[in-house]
């Protein structure tokens, strides 16, 4: 039984704003199904006695110390902006399309 349907792939493509053909929907559904099966197999293997890890080798803190340094003023930050409005960067609207 497939884990993901063509309709779900079409919905994901729409959310990602990807234009896909009918043939691609079939291909992507099969590929995503294989990915989900692989993830399920890994989930079966990882038991409660296996601690979760984020790295294969132990790491120490590799980040620098967080020190306070002077930053830009609002006027300095906006000085190089192509457009500003009410003390903020002015950018073109990209949202607002009907869903």
């Amino acid at each position: 039984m497939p884990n993901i349907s063509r309709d779900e792939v079409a919905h994901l493509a729409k959310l990602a704003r990807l234009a896909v053909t009918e043939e691609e929907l079939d291909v992507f559904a099969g590929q995503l199904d294989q990915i989900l099966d692989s993830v399920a197999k890994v989930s079966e293997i990882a038991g409660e006695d296996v601690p979760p890890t984020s790295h294969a080798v132990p790491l120490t803190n590799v980040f620098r110390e967080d020190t306070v340094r002077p930053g830009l003023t609002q006027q300095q930050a906006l000085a190089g902006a192509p457009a500003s409005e009410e003390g903020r960067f002015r950018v073109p609207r990209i949202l607002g399309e009907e869903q």
Side-chain angles (χ1 to χ4, degrees), residues 13-32:
K14 181 180 176 186
L15 291 175
R17 297 180 184 209
L18 297 174
V20 294
T21 64
E22 292 296 318
E23 294 81 25
E24 289 174 326
L25 285 176
D26 291 328
V27 171
F28 294 155
Q31 290 174 345
L32 287 171

Side-chain angles (χ1 to χ4, degrees), residues 11-99:
H11 180 67
L12 289 172
K14 181 180 176 186
L15 291 175
R17 297 180 184 209
L18 297 174
V20 294
T21 64
E22 292 296 318
E23 294 81 25
E24 289 174 326
L25 285 176
D26 291 328
V27 171
F28 294 155
Q31 290 174 345
L32 287 171
D33 193 40
Q34 286 179 335
I35 292 169
L36 292 174
D37 286 341
S38 298
V39 170
K41 287 178 186 174
V42 170
S43 296
E44 290 173 6
I45 294 171
E48 291 187 24
D49 58 333
V50 178
T53 57
S54 60
H55 298 287
V57 295
L59 295 177
T60 58
N61 186 2
V62 294
F63 299 108
R64 64 174 167 76
E65 287 296 318
D66 191 14
T67 56
V68 178
R69 297 185 298 179
L72 298 174
T73 66
Q74 184 180 20
Q75 291 78 20
Q76 290 171 326
L78 292 173
S84 64
E85 182 178 290
E86 297 178 10
R88 298 176 293 204
F89 293 102
R90 179 168 172 73
V91 296
R93 176 181 226 133
I94 59 169
L95 299 177
E97 297 176 6
E98 294 299 319
Q99 296 280 337

